[in-house]
Amino acid sequence: AEKTLVDLEQAVLDLQDLAAVRQGRVRVVASTVISSGLLSPAFKAFRHQHPNVHFVLKDVAEEDILNTVLSGAVDFGIGTSAGPVKDLEELPLFNDSFIALCNTHHPLASRARLAWRDLQDQPFIALAQNSPIRKLINETVEQAGVRLNIVNEVSFATTVLSLVAADLGVSVLPMNNHPYLPAFDVHSAVLARPVIKRRISAFQPKARSLPPAASAFIEFLQAHIRA
Protein backbone atom coordinates (compact mmCIF):
# COMPACT_ATOMS: atom_id res chain seq x y z
CA ALA A 1 0.00 0.00 0.00
CA GLU A 2 2.83 2.38 0.87
CA LYS A 3 4.51 1.74 -2.47
CA THR A 4 1.22 2.40 -4.30
CA LEU A 5 0.77 5.75 -2.54
CA VAL A 6 4.34 6.80 -3.25
CA ASP A 7 3.97 5.76 -6.88
CA LEU A 8 0.77 7.79 -7.23
CA GLU A 9 2.48 10.87 -5.79
CA GLN A 10 5.41 10.42 -8.15
CA ALA A 11 3.09 9.89 -11.10
CA VAL A 12 1.44 13.25 -10.42
CA LEU A 13 4.83 14.98 -10.22
CA ASP A 14 6.05 13.39 -13.47
CA LEU A 15 2.81 13.32 -15.44
CA GLN A 16 4.18 15.54 -18.19
CA ASP A 17 7.17 13.23 -18.63
CA LEU A 18 5.34 9.94 -19.05
CA ALA A 19 4.81 10.06 -22.82
CA ALA A 20 8.48 10.82 -23.48
CA VAL A 21 11.38 11.90 -21.33
CA ARG A 22 11.40 15.45 -22.65
CA GLN A 23 12.10 16.92 -19.25
CA GLY A 24 12.56 15.73 -15.72
CA ARG A 25 15.16 15.36 -13.02
CA VAL A 26 17.69 12.59 -12.32
CA ARG A 27 19.16 12.50 -8.80
CA VAL A 28 22.19 10.22 -8.37
CA VAL A 29 24.75 9.53 -5.65
CA ALA A 30 28.15 7.96 -6.42
CA SER A 31 31.81 8.10 -5.44
CA THR A 32 33.99 10.87 -6.86
CA VAL A 33 35.70 8.42 -9.23
CA ILE A 34 32.43 6.98 -10.60
CA SER A 35 31.00 10.50 -10.79
CA SER A 36 33.82 11.88 -12.91
CA GLY A 37 34.84 8.79 -14.86
CA LEU A 38 31.49 7.18 -15.68
CA LEU A 39 28.63 9.55 -14.96
CA SER A 40 30.00 12.81 -16.37
CA PRO A 41 30.37 11.49 -19.96
CA ALA A 42 27.11 9.53 -19.61
CA PHE A 43 25.28 12.69 -18.51
CA LYS A 44 26.65 14.56 -21.52
CA ALA A 45 25.55 11.84 -23.95
CA PHE A 46 22.10 11.54 -22.36
CA ARG A 47 21.57 15.31 -22.39
CA HIS A 48 22.31 15.28 -26.12
CA GLN A 49 19.14 13.19 -26.56
CA HIS A 50 17.15 14.82 -23.74
CA PRO A 51 18.39 18.42 -23.40
CA ASN A 52 15.78 19.45 -20.83
CA VAL A 53 16.65 16.80 -18.27
CA HIS A 54 18.26 18.21 -15.11
CA PHE A 55 20.90 16.18 -13.21
CA VAL A 56 21.56 16.37 -9.47
CA LEU A 57 24.77 14.51 -8.58
CA LYS A 58 25.96 13.90 -5.04
CA ASP A 59 29.60 12.78 -4.96
CA VAL A 60 30.34 11.20 -1.59
CA ALA A 61 32.68 8.70 0.06
CA GLU A 62 31.91 5.14 -1.03
CA GLU A 63 30.61 4.14 2.41
CA ASP A 64 27.93 6.87 2.34
CA ILE A 65 26.28 5.84 -0.95
CA LEU A 66 23.73 3.30 0.28
CA ASN A 67 22.58 5.41 3.25
CA THR A 68 22.07 8.35 0.90
CA VAL A 69 19.83 6.19 -1.30
CA LEU A 70 17.90 4.91 1.73
CA SER A 71 17.36 8.48 2.95
CA GLY A 72 15.36 9.34 -0.17
CA ALA A 73 17.67 12.23 -1.07
CA VAL A 74 18.36 10.67 -4.50
CA ASP A 75 16.59 8.40 -6.98
CA PHE A 76 19.38 5.83 -7.06
CA GLY A 77 23.04 5.33 -6.27
CA ILE A 78 25.99 3.62 -7.97
CA GLY A 79 28.54 1.84 -5.82
CA THR A 80 30.25 -1.36 -4.75
CA SER A 81 28.07 -4.41 -4.20
CA ALA A 82 28.59 -6.09 -0.83
CA GLY A 83 25.70 -8.53 -0.98
CA PRO A 84 21.94 -8.02 -0.48
CA VAL A 85 20.88 -4.84 1.32
CA LYS A 86 17.52 -4.66 3.08
CA ASP A 87 15.07 -2.25 1.42
CA LEU A 88 17.28 -1.78 -1.67
CA GLU A 89 17.07 -3.31 -5.14
CA GLU A 90 20.39 -3.95 -6.88
CA LEU A 91 21.04 -3.79 -10.63
CA PRO A 92 24.56 -5.03 -11.55
CA LEU A 93 26.35 -2.75 -14.03
CA PHE A 94 29.92 -4.04 -14.47
CA ASN A 95 32.81 -5.82 -12.73
CA ASP A 96 36.07 -4.15 -11.73
CA SER A 97 39.46 -5.53 -10.60
CA PHE A 98 42.11 -3.95 -8.37
CA ILE A 99 45.57 -2.56 -9.19
CA ALA A 100 48.64 -1.80 -7.07
CA LEU A 101 49.90 1.80 -7.02
CA CYS A 102 53.23 3.40 -6.22
CA ASN A 103 55.19 6.54 -7.09
CA THR A 104 56.83 6.36 -10.53
CA HIS A 105 60.28 6.56 -8.87
CA HIS A 106 59.52 3.83 -6.33
CA PRO A 107 61.58 0.58 -6.61
CA LEU A 108 58.37 -1.35 -7.39
CA ALA A 109 57.62 0.94 -10.35
CA SER A 110 59.78 -1.20 -12.63
CA ARG A 111 57.36 -4.10 -12.35
CA ALA A 112 54.16 -4.60 -14.36
CA ARG A 113 52.79 -7.28 -12.00
CA LEU A 114 52.83 -7.39 -8.22
CA ALA A 115 51.61 -9.79 -5.55
CA TRP A 116 50.13 -8.74 -2.21
CA ARG A 117 53.26 -9.93 -0.41
CA ASP A 118 55.29 -7.38 -2.38
CA LEU A 119 53.32 -4.64 -0.58
CA GLN A 120 53.39 -5.83 3.03
CA ASP A 121 56.72 -4.22 3.97
CA GLN A 122 55.81 -0.89 2.35
CA PRO A 123 54.04 2.08 4.01
CA PHE A 124 50.43 1.65 2.86
CA ILE A 125 47.81 4.34 2.15
CA ALA A 126 44.37 2.90 2.93
CA LEU A 127 40.78 3.97 2.54
CA ALA A 128 38.70 4.35 5.72
CA GLN A 129 37.74 1.21 7.64
CA ASN A 130 34.04 1.51 6.76
CA SER A 131 34.70 1.79 3.02
CA PRO A 132 33.39 -1.22 1.01
CA ILE A 133 36.70 -1.17 -0.91
CA ARG A 134 38.70 -1.30 2.34
CA LYS A 135 36.57 -4.21 3.56
CA LEU A 136 37.36 -6.16 0.38
CA ILE A 137 41.06 -5.45 0.85
CA ASN A 138 40.95 -6.50 4.52
CA GLU A 139 39.27 -9.79 3.62
CA THR A 140 41.82 -10.46 0.89
CA VAL A 141 44.95 -9.81 2.94
CA GLU A 142 43.58 -11.86 5.83
CA GLN A 143 42.97 -14.82 3.52
CA ALA A 144 46.43 -14.39 1.96
CA GLY A 145 48.16 -14.12 5.33
CA VAL A 146 49.52 -10.66 4.50
CA ARG A 147 49.84 -7.79 6.99
CA LEU A 148 49.77 -4.26 5.59
CA ASN A 149 51.76 -1.45 7.19
CA ILE A 150 49.01 1.18 7.14
CA VAL A 151 50.36 4.69 7.72
CA ASN A 152 47.39 6.77 6.49
CA GLU A 153 43.62 6.28 6.25
CA VAL A 154 41.60 8.60 3.99
CA SER A 155 38.06 8.83 2.61
CA PHE A 156 38.55 9.45 -1.11
CA ALA A 157 40.46 7.67 -3.88
CA THR A 158 41.79 10.98 -5.17
CA THR A 159 43.42 11.58 -1.77
CA VAL A 160 45.00 8.12 -1.98
CA LEU A 161 46.44 8.99 -5.39
CA SER A 162 47.79 12.31 -4.09
CA LEU A 163 49.59 10.66 -1.17
CA VAL A 164 51.01 7.90 -3.37
CA ALA A 165 52.16 10.56 -5.86
CA ALA A 166 53.96 12.29 -2.97
CA ASP A 167 55.77 8.97 -2.35
CA LEU A 168 54.31 8.64 1.14
CA GLY A 169 53.31 5.04 0.56
CA VAL A 170 51.89 2.47 -1.82
CA SER A 171 48.23 1.57 -2.19
CA VAL A 172 45.61 -0.55 -3.92
CA LEU A 173 42.54 0.81 -5.71
CA PRO A 174 39.98 -0.47 -8.22
CA MET A 175 40.91 -0.40 -11.91
CA ASN A 176 38.32 2.30 -12.65
CA ASN A 177 40.78 4.81 -11.14
CA HIS A 178 43.18 4.11 -14.02
CA PRO A 179 42.08 7.04 -16.25
CA TYR A 180 43.19 9.49 -13.53
CA LEU A 181 46.70 8.13 -13.08
CA PRO A 182 48.29 10.42 -15.75
CA ALA A 183 47.25 13.40 -13.62
CA PHE A 184 49.38 12.02 -10.78
CA ASP A 185 52.98 10.81 -10.60
CA VAL A 186 51.76 7.24 -10.06
CA HIS A 187 52.67 3.84 -11.51
CA SER A 188 50.07 1.05 -11.63
CA ALA A 189 50.68 -2.69 -11.74
CA VAL A 190 48.47 -5.73 -12.18
CA LEU A 191 47.78 -7.12 -8.71
CA ALA A 192 47.64 -10.89 -8.32
CA ARG A 193 47.97 -13.72 -5.82
CA PRO A 194 45.14 -13.23 -5.08
CA VAL A 195 43.14 -11.12 -7.55
CA ILE A 196 40.33 -8.95 -6.13
CA LYS A 197 37.22 -8.28 -8.18
CA ARG A 198 34.24 -6.16 -7.20
CA ARG A 199 30.82 -5.60 -8.73
CA ILE A 200 29.54 -2.09 -9.42
CA SER A 201 25.75 -1.84 -9.21
CA ALA A 202 22.91 0.66 -9.23
CA PHE A 203 20.86 0.69 -6.03
CA GLN A 204 17.32 2.01 -5.61
CA PRO A 205 14.74 1.80 -2.80
CA LYS A 206 12.35 -1.14 -3.05
CA ALA A 207 9.50 1.01 -1.76
CA ARG A 208 9.67 3.55 -4.60
CA SER A 209 9.55 3.31 -8.36
CA LEU A 210 12.04 5.42 -10.29
CA PRO A 211 10.80 8.64 -11.93
CA PRO A 212 10.61 8.32 -15.75
CA ALA A 213 13.75 10.37 -16.38
CA ALA A 214 15.79 8.35 -13.87
CA SER A 215 14.51 5.05 -15.24
CA ALA A 216 15.37 6.13 -18.78
CA PHE A 217 18.85 7.21 -17.68
CA ILE A 218 19.62 3.84 -16.05
CA GLU A 219 18.66 2.05 -19.27
CA PHE A 220 20.84 4.47 -21.19
CA LEU A 221 23.71 3.96 -18.74
CA GLN A 222 23.60 0.19 -19.18
CA ALA A 223 23.90 0.59 -22.96
CA HIS A 224 26.62 3.24 -22.49
CA ILE A 225 28.69 0.81 -20.37
CA ARG A 226 28.27 -2.06 -22.84
CA ALA A 227 29.40 0.21 -25.69
Side-chain angles (χ1 to χ4, degrees):
E2 180 182 353
K3 185 176 187 300
T4 301
L5 289 173
V6 172
D7 286 350
L8 285 173
E9 292 176 0
Q10 190 64 57
V12 171
L13 292 174
D14 296 300
L15 187 59
Q16 295 179 348
D17 303 328
L18 292 177
V21 187
R22 291 189 299 271
Q23 59 185 12
R25 183 176 62 169
V26 179
R27 302 176 302 162
V28 192
V29 62
S31 68
T32 54
V33 172
I34 292 291
S35 296
S36 55
L38 174 64
L39 292 179
S40 293
F43 286 167
K44 179 179 179 180
F46 189 79
R47 283 284 298 272
H48 184 72
Q49 298 180 14
H50 308 285
N52 294 321
V53 170
H54 176 64
F55 287 99
V56 178
L57 174 60
K58 293 182 178 291
D59 51 338
V60 301
E62 182 89 24
E63 59 268 25
D64 295 328
I65 292 171
L66 299 187
N67 285 335
T68 304
V69 178
L70 287 168
S71 75
V74 295
D75 301 315
F76 66 93
I78 298 177
T80 302
S81 173
V85 179
K86 184 181 178 182
D87 299 327
L88 289 181
E89 292 182 2
E90 178 180 346
L91 175 66
L93 295 175
F94 63 93
N95 292 322
D96 193 14
S97 58
F98 282 57
I99 52 177
L101 303 167
C102 63
N103 180 275
T104 53
H105 303 291
H106 192 280
L108 294 176
S110 62
R111 298 171 58 178
R113 296 180 64 86
L114 291 170
W116 282 94
R117 290 195 179 277
D118 296 320
L119 306 179
Q120 67 176 351
D121 294 328
Q122 303 291 332
F124 192 89
I125 312 298
L127 288 169
Q129 284 279 1
N130 54 350
S131 163
I133 294 172
R134 172 69 179 277
K135 291 176 181 177
L136 279 173
I137 291 174
N138 286 349
E139 292 169 3
T140 299
V141 296
E142 183 177 353
Q143 293 170 7
V146 172
R147 296 189 65 180
L148 297 175
N149 177 25
I150 296 173
V151 296
N152 275 297
E153 292 184 338
V154 300
S155 296
F156 296 97
T158 48
T159 308
V160 170
L161 292 171
S162 296
L163 293 174
V164 172
D167 205 16
L168 296 176
V170 301
S171 193
V172 170
L173 285 176
M175 176 69 81
N176 68 347
N177 289 272
H178 200 275
Y180 307 98
L181 300 187
F184 298 87
D185 194 22
V186 170
H187 167 78
S188 67
V190 174
L191 185 60
R193 299 200 304 267
V195 172
I196 304 183
K197 290 189 178 293
R198 68 166 179 163
R199 184 171 69 203
I200 302 297
S201 298
F203 299 89
Q204 69 179 84
K206 291 180 179 177
R208 296 196 307 272
S209 295
L210 288 176
S215 180
F217 177 71
I218 285 188
E219 291 183 12
F220 177 88
L221 185 62
Q222 288 177 289
H224 179 82
I225 291 170
R226 289 194 296 269

